[in-house]
Amino acid sequence: MKKLFILVLLFPFSSSARAQSVLTLEKCFEIALRKNPEINENKQKIERRRYLYFAGINEYLPQVSLSHSASFSGTQGAPSSSNYSNRVSASETIFSLKTMSAVRKKKISYEKSLADYNVKSASVRYEVARAFLEFLFVQEKLEVNRKIFSLRKQNADLLRLKYEGGRESRGDMLYALALKEMAKTNLKNSRRSVASASQQLARLLGYPIKEKLRISGEFSVPKLDFDLEEKIKALKKSPRILSLKKDIENAEEELFSAKSDLYPKLTASQSVSWTQDREVPSSQNWSLSLNLSLPLFSGGPTYHKNNVRAQTHYLRSLKKNYENTLRSLEADLRQAHLDFLNAVDRASSHLKLLEAVDERYKEARIKYMAGKISFIDLESVEQNLVDAEMERIEFLKTANLNKLLMENILGKTLEDSTGL
């Protein structure tokens, strides 16, 4: 009873500790790899395809069966008779292009599930990284809004004192109070945005939606140092392209299977049986046979020709899709790289502007206190500072999003990020 009481006391604290643990982006990738519902679903699909492939391999192996039968018969006025039979039989496909193709298609299907998993892993990685970045953004915005609220509150308090001393108009005093209330509202909205970002990240990580997460990361100008042309060449090894290659392989196998309808099939069968009128028969019989079959009009007179043509056109369409997708990824990567460079330049140059605007505000505040400028002039400079702060975090967010977009185009997966 005492141990149970201790567990009851410790449970809330352990839950709170988990909720308060600080998550880095790398840690989020590790958690998503284990707990993300879509990732786990695709892992199960891989296992299914793997076992279907293993099951398909048995098409090459002999099929063995055992049987035992007993029969009784008789006529009126005559003694009844009985017959018992034991039988062992085996059959094996010696040559069948259709069977070979069916097994190869199961193997390709398994390999395709691996490629599709990497596509999904890259997609989830992008979603997690974007949710993490959004979380960092709203946290940074919350800090900026706290700073703005502090400025607005100081100005409102100052104008109220000056108004009470007869040195400021009532209109300016009320305007300053209104600005403070607006800043307070923005601060509340920022807190709600943080809660929303936490819920979105928790959903992707497989955590309960209501669990409050805390994250830690650098919200700064991102760096990217790589050879663009080398990365474009590497697109042929990206998950989306590899998945399309498996589609082409499967279509080639479907075409081969369609053509194999005209080829013969050779099977062998053998059996040994014991038949007699007693429970354990001793009279033995055996048989061995080879069967060669050649389909002539399987499916109809024109089935083979039309089926082969259909599979041929399907294969050509997949190859065209492969080429178009590769060209599209290259165009997307080049554009994303240009957008990234532009965003980085804007974010870097804006830091200097922000420094200058902050200095102007400090000077304007001193001048206002000295009575050299009006409150409207001070508020104008202050608004410039507020806008510059907001633009700073927007520019940083855009630059980091463009970096994530390039990584997604290149197909960077959760496993690539965690080293697994």
Side-chain angles (χ1 to χ4, degrees):
M1 186 65 183
K2 183 178 180 182
K3 291 182 178 180
L4 180 61
F5 179 71
I6 293 175
L7 288 175
V8 171
L9 287 177
L10 288 178
F11 179 76
F13 294 101
S14 62
S15 177
S16 176
R18 185 164 73 92
Q20 295 300 318
S21 60
V22 179
L23 301 176
T24 62
L25 181 57
E26 291 73 19
K27 185 65 176 177
C28 288
F29 288 150
E30 292 177 7
I31 295 171
L33 197 55
R34 298 194 313 268
K35 303 185 67 173
N36 180 270
E38 291 182 289
I39 291 296
N40 288 327
E41 177 187 350
N42 275 264
K43 287 179 180 178
Q44 296 304 315
K45 289 180 179 179
I46 290 175
E47 290 302 301
R48 176 178 178 271
R49 293 295 180 182
R50 185 165 72 96
Y51 286 114
L52 286 175
Y53 168 56
F54 290 159
I57 293 176
N58 289 276
E59 296 286 341
Y60 293 132
L61 304 178
Q63 311 298 311
V64 180
S65 62
L66 300 174
S67 64
H68 173 73
S69 64
S71 62
F72 306 93
S73 61
T75 58
Q76 188 175 6
S80 62
S81 62
S82 59
N83 185 61
Y84 297 90
S85 174
N86 295 329
R87 182 183 177 87
V88 179
S89 62
S91 62
E92 181 179 2
T93 301
I94 298 176
F95 176 80
S96 172
L97 295 181
K98 204 78 171 175
T99 300
M100 295 169 56
S101 179
V103 175
R104 286 201 298 261
K105 282 191 287 187
K106 285 184 171 63
K107 182 181 179 182
I108 293 172
S109 179
Y110 167 56
E111 293 171 346
K112 174 72 162 56
S113 67
L114 293 174
D116 289 343
Y117 169 81
N118 287 330
V119 174
K120 177 56 66 176
S121 180
S123 175
V124 171
R125 181 193 181 278
Y126 176 69
E127 291 176 3
V128 170
R130 183 163 184 168
F132 188 88
L133 176 62
E134 181 67 26
F135 205 156
L136 285 179
F137 170 74
V138 295
Q139 283 189 161
E140 188 75 11
K141 191 172 182 179
L142 176 61
E143 294 303 316
V144 170
N145 279 322
R146 280 178 179 152
K147 179 179 178 181
I148 294 172
F149 175 71
S150 177
L151 292 176
R152 302 295 198 196
K153 185 176 183 302
Q154 290 177 15
N155 287 341
D157 293 342
L158 177 62
L159 261 75
R160 182 176 57 81
L161 291 174
K162 296 186 72 172
Y163 168 72
E164 291 174 354
R167 293 179 296 161
E168 193 58 83
S169 69
R170 176 178 171 80
D172 286 344
M173 186 268 294
L174 293 176
Y175 184 59
L177 288 174
L179 290 176
K180 185 187 79 169
E181 289 302 315
M182 290 177 61
K184 185 177 181 180
T185 299
N186 291 336
L187 185 58
K188 290 180 180 179
N189 291 340
S190 290
R191 292 194 180 102
R192 296 188 187 103
S193 296
V194 169
S196 176
S198 174
Q199 293 172 5
Q200 177 66 12
L201 184 59
R203 181 185 66 83
L204 294 170
L205 298 183
Y207 280 165
I209 303 299
K210 64 180 180 180
E211 184 161 348
K212 295 181 180 179
L213 303 181
R214 292 178 59 203
I215 63 171
S216 174
E218 185 178 0
F219 192 69
S220 59
V221 179
K223 296 180 180 179
L224 193 66
D225 184 18
F226 67 77
D227 188 333
L228 180 61
E229 297 304 321
E230 288 296 324
K231 292 298 183 182
I232 289 175
K233 293 178 182 178
L235 283 174
K236 291 184 178 181
K237 297 181 179 180
S238 65
R240 285 181 61 186
I241 295 300
L242 292 178
S243 179
L244 291 177
K245 284 183 178 179
K246 288 301 172 183
D247 287 335
I248 292 174
E249 285 184 32
N250 187 69
E252 289 172 342
E253 198 58 50
E254 290 285 357
L255 178 59
F256 176 83
S257 179
K259 291 179 178 179
S260 67
D261 285 334
L262 292 183
Y263 286 82
K265 178 180 180 180
L266 179 63
T267 60
S269 61
Q270 49 275 333
S271 67
V272 178
S273 62
W274 295 265
T275 305
Q276 209 168 5
D277 59 352
R278 57 183 181 178
E279 182 68 27
V280 182
S282 60
S283 178
Q284 187 183 80
N285 299 298
W286 63 271
S287 68
L288 176 64
S289 65
L290 291 174
N291 180 38
L292 180 65
S293 61
L294 179 63
L296 295 179
F297 297 109
S298 178
T302 64
Y303 173 79
H304 174 75
K305 179 179 66 175
N306 291 326
N307 190 34
V308 169
R309 287 179 177 176
Q311 296 299 334
T312 300
H313 286 291
Y314 178 60
L315 177 59
R316 290 175 182 172
S317 69
L318 288 179
K319 289 182 177 180
K320 289 296 182 182
N321 182 46
Y322 172 86
E323 295 172 3
N324 293 336
T325 302
L326 189 59
R327 287 170 57 85
S328 178
L329 287 177
E330 178 182 348
D332 291 344
L333 182 59
R334 289 186 182 277
Q335 186 59 50
H337 185 252
L338 292 175
D339 292 341
F340 171 79
L341 295 177
N342 291 336
V344 167
D345 288 343
R346 284 196 300 269
S348 300
S349 61
H350 191 75
L351 293 177
K352 297 180 180 179
L353 176 63
L354 178 61
E355 182 180 351
V357 172
D358 185 60
E359 187 65 26
R360 286 187 66 208
Y361 174 73
K362 292 177 182 177
E363 293 173 354
R365 188 171 178 82
I366 294 173
K367 291 179 181 178
Y368 176 73
M369 295 294 291
K372 295 182 179 180
I373 61 174
S374 67
F375 171 71
I376 296 300
D377 295 329
L378 174 64
E379 194 279 329
S380 177
V381 177
E382 182 185 90
Q383 188 60 47
N384 289 337
L385 177 60
V386 170
D387 293 340
E389 285 281 8
M390 289 299 180
E391 288 175 354
R392 175 184 69 86
I393 59 176
E394 287 287 349
F395 287 151
L396 290 178
K397 178 183 177 182
T398 301
N400 281 277
L401 278 176
N402 282 312
K403 181 182 179 182
L404 292 179
L405 180 59
M406 281 190 292
E407 292 174 348
N408 185 51
I409 294 172
L410 291 169
K412 196 168 183 179
T413 64
L414 290 170
E415 289 79 2
D416 296 332
S417 302
T418 57
L420 300 177

